[in-house]
């Protein structure tokens, strides 16, 4: 078992580059299944979720090469349309493979992803959309058995009741080689969708995105292409929050500021000075942060649910009362109990969190409850007085590459220790 030991209270200063986006690379890896030949993905972050996806591709029979941040995937010869129960449990987001598996193999066998740390995570929208496109899917005893009686998906008009990111990706992956045209209405508009579409288009797909409407004209086959994974906007927001709580001055580089256009004004509202260039943001924090009067998470282009936890942590140290409303997931506040152990004053009820800012937090032994909750604890620990020991790092390692190295370079006292 490993823990992060963080001695807080040190001002962060300097430059830090973000890695490729976790939420972009997972669907991109699923998409490589559709393109004949060897696709090359660059800027692939070293994350346990990426390891899990590569394991899934290998189980299908794909050939994988990995060198630094570049991953080469060739699906030629892949012939096992199964995701094992163990991998499905480890990576609930592997449901994003469903559309691609069916398009490639004509069938797919996997277990139901079940609930997760953020509450129940249904896949009804994924299944209903794929069924409308001609899939036959049987759900029995937690297993999914999906087949395409005609061998190919059938283009049609699909309307999502909610702009689900994963369901949009699954429809896109099903539609690119479908027979005919698919029109997806109320599609998610997250930048990771555009990144997926960019790779698929480079492979020969015919995709048009117009706000929440995605039109895909199916083509018979895709050919491998090269693609650089977009920068991780949530990692960027996390580093900015870390700078904000430590009275720091940090430049986050290699990002796309437009992707965090709804996050940056919140930092300004808290009294931070921001300077933006084409691919970087510099944040200079005030001696005391101001409260966030009201923050509601929304589908893109609204405030991203994944960035709310580090911002809520910043609010625990702000002057005054902040209010957060989570509108995407049911149980997003599990980490708040750990923040309270560190001296934060937060009350939650359902999807609402009310944060009374305190002057300081204090180091404690805490555990990550989920990925973004883990990031919130790191941000809190960097600001806290004394030492914080953070356990259950497997959550954090799913989504933050080289976290200790990056923060150490900014002046944080952070190290990972292994305990037997
Ligand atoms: C993706 C991101 C995750 C982010 C989320 C929202 C990845 C790997 N993960 O997750 O980090 O927090 O988008 O931006 O990209 N829902 C249903 N039925 C469905 C599908 C979803 O009810 O069939 C609900 C979910 O329970 C949730 C909401 O819709 O309450 C949003 O889910 P969705 O947009 O699908 O998120 P994910 O793709 O799972």
């Amino acid at each position: 078992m490993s823990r992060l030991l963080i001695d807080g209270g040190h001002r962060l200063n300097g430059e830090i580059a973000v890695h490729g986006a976790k939420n972009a690379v997972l669907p991109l890896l699923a998409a490589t299944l559709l393109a004949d030949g060897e696709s090359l993905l660059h800027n692939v972050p070293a994350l346990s979720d990426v390891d899990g996806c590569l394991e899934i591709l290998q189980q299908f029979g794909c050939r994988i090469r990995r060198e630094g941040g570049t991953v080469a995937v060739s699906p030629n010869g892949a012939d096992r349309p199964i995701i094992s129960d163990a991998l499905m449990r480890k990576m609930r987001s592997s449901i994003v493979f469903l559309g691609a598996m069916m398009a490639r193999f004509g069938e797919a066998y996997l277990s139901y992803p079940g609930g997760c740390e953020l509450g129940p995570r249904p896949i009804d929208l994924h299944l209903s959309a794929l069924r409308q496109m001609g899939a036959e899917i049987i759900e029995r005893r937690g297993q999914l058995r999906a087949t395409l009686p005609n061998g190919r998906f059938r283009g049609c008009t699909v309307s999502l009741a909610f702009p689900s990111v994963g369901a949009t990706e699954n429809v896109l992956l099903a539609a690119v080689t479908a027979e005919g045209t698919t029109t997806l209405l109320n599609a998610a508009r997250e930048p990771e969708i555009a990144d997926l579409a960019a790779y698929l288009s480079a492979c020969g797909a015919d995709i048009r995105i117009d706000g929440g409407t995605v039109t895909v004209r199916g083509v018979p086959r895709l050919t491998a292409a090269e693609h650089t994974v977009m920068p991780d906007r949530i990692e960027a927001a996390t580093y900015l929050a870390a700078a904000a709580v430590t009275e720091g001055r940090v430049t986050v580089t290699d990002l796309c500021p437009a992707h965090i256009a709804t996050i940056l004004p919140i930092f300004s509202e808290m009294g931070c000075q921001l300077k933006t260039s084409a691919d970087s943001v510099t944040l200079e924090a005030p001696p005391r942060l101001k409260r966030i009067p009201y923050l509601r998470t929304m589908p893109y282009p609204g405030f991203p649910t994944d960035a709310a936890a580090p911002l809520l942590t910043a609010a625990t140290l702000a002057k005054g009362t902040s209010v957060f409303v989570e509108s995407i997931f049911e149980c997003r506040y599990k980490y708040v109990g750990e923040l309270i152990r560190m001296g934060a004053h937060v009350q939650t009820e359902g999807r609402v969190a009310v944060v009374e800012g305190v002057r300081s937090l204090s180091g404690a032994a805490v555990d990550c409850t989920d990925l973004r909750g883990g990031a919130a604890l790191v941000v809190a620990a960097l600001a806290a007085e004394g030492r914080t020991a953070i356990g259950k790092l497997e959550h954090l390692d799913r989504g933050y590459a080289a976290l200790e190295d990056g923060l150490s370079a900014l002046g944080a006292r952070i190290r990972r220790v292994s305990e037997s």
Side-chain angles (χ1 to χ4, degrees):
M1 194 179 78
S2 297
R3 282 178 183 272
L4 275 182
L5 298 184
I6 300 177
D7 291 318
H10 298 277
R11 185 171 289 185
L12 298 191
N13 199 349
E15 247 185 55
I16 186 164
V18 296
H19 298 85
K22 172 185 92 76
N23 286 354
V25 76
L26 305 185
L28 283 167
L29 285 168
T32 60
L33 198 55
L34 298 175
D36 291 328
E38 187 180 69
S39 283
L40 283 180
L41 296 182
H42 304 294
N43 203 27
V44 173
L47 302 172
S48 61
D49 265 11
V50 169
D51 300 340
C53 274
L54 294 178
E55 224 177 299
I56 289 174
L57 288 168
Q58 259 159 347
Q59 285 191 359
F60 294 155
C62 296
R63 270 179 296 122
I64 312 278
R65 289 186 300 121
R66 191 176 188 179
E67 214 178 300
T70 295
V71 169
V73 184
S74 168
N76 294 15
D79 58 359
R80 292 190 295 276
I82 298 167
I83 302 182
S84 70
D85 199 41
L87 273 173
M88 205 66 204
R89 275 174 204 277
K90 197 159 108 188
M91 282 204 45
R92 290 192 177 84
S93 47
S94 41
I95 190 65
V96 78
F97 277 93
L98 181 58
M101 283 168 86
M102 295 186 70
R104 176 90 203 177
F105 303 117
E107 55 185 345
Y109 303 89
L110 57 162
S111 54
Y112 205 88
C116 76
E117 303 85 17
L118 312 179
R121 215 154 169 173
I123 53 167
D124 53 319
L125 301 174
H126 301 240
L127 301 188
S128 148
L130 296 179
R131 281 183 173 127
Q132 288 172 63
M133 297 177 72
E136 279 183 8
I137 305 174
I138 300 167
E139 303 165 67
R140 196 177 295 146
R141 294 202 201 104
Q143 302 293 315
L144 292 176
R145 183 169 174 274
T147 49
L148 269 179
N150 297 334
R152 260 178 101 180
F153 279 109
R154 202 177 48 227
C156 64
T157 297
V158 177
S159 182
L160 294 178
F162 178 88
S164 153
V165 174
T168 299
E169 290 162 349
N170 253 327
V171 170
L172 203 50
L173 292 168
V176 282
T177 55
E179 219 177 298
T181 298
T182 303
T183 306
L184 180 62
L185 305 174
N186 200 25
R189 295 199 250 169
E190 270 68 3
E192 290 76 12
I193 308 277
D195 203 46
L196 175 62
Y199 163 72
L200 290 167
S201 300
C203 295
D206 182 348
I207 302 168
R208 212 155 18 96
I209 299 183
D210 182 9
T213 302
V214 180
T215 311
V216 184
R217 263 199 281 176
V219 295
R221 64 182 50 81
L222 298 181
T223 315
E226 202 167 335
H227 181 78
T228 299
V229 180
M230 63 170 270
D232 196 314
R233 58 200 170 100
I234 307 302
E235 188 189 14
T238 306
Y239 292 145
L240 292 174
V245 295
T246 58
E247 282 182 52
R249 187 180 192 285
V250 168
T251 301
V252 182
T253 68
D254 295 24
L255 60 82
C256 177
H259 292 164
I260 52 171
T262 48
I263 302 177
L264 293 178
I266 307 291
F267 285 112
S268 301
E269 201 173 13
M270 296 186 92
C272 301
Q273 301 288 325
L274 295 172
K275 238 183 14 221
T276 301
S277 81
D279 64 354
S280 75
V281 173
T282 301
L283 182 146
E284 191 167 348
R288 180 101 199 256
L289 294 166
K290 294 187 204 154
R291 72 194 185 102
I292 303 172
Y294 182 79
L295 190 155
R296 184 186 180 89
T297 63
M298 296 286 277
Y300 194 86
F303 190 96
T305 173
D306 289 348
L311 265 292
L312 188 146
T313 304
T316 65
L317 287 159
K319 188 165 186 284
T321 304
S322 303
V323 176
F324 286 70
V325 179
E326 168 59 39
S327 70
I328 310 292
F329 290 106
E330 267 174 45
C331 307
R332 211 108 220 200
Y333 294 130
K334 285 190 181 153
Y335 65 97
V336 162
E338 304 298 290
L339 286 181
I340 290 171
R341 289 168 71 97
M342 298 177 72
H345 289 183
V346 188
Q347 286 198 330
T348 60
E349 195 175 315
R351 291 171 182 256
V352 178
V354 178
V355 185
E356 292 283 351
V358 293
R359 279 249 166 225
S360 61
L361 298 174
S362 34
V366 290
D367 279 331
C368 300
T369 52
D370 59 273
L371 167 58
R372 305 302 170 187
L377 297 180
V378 171
V379 171
L382 291 169
E385 286 170 7
R387 174 168 291 187
T388 300
I390 306 179
K392 301 225 165 112
L393 300 179
E394 63 276 13
H395 293 294
L396 209 49
D397 293 340
R398 286 184 43 226
Y400 290 88
L403 183 70
E404 300 96 280
D405 295 345
L407 291 173
S408 294
L410 295 176
R413 308 283 159 85
I414 176 170
R415 68 194 163 93
R416 188 180 289 240
V417 292
S418 292
E419 293 161 5
S420 49

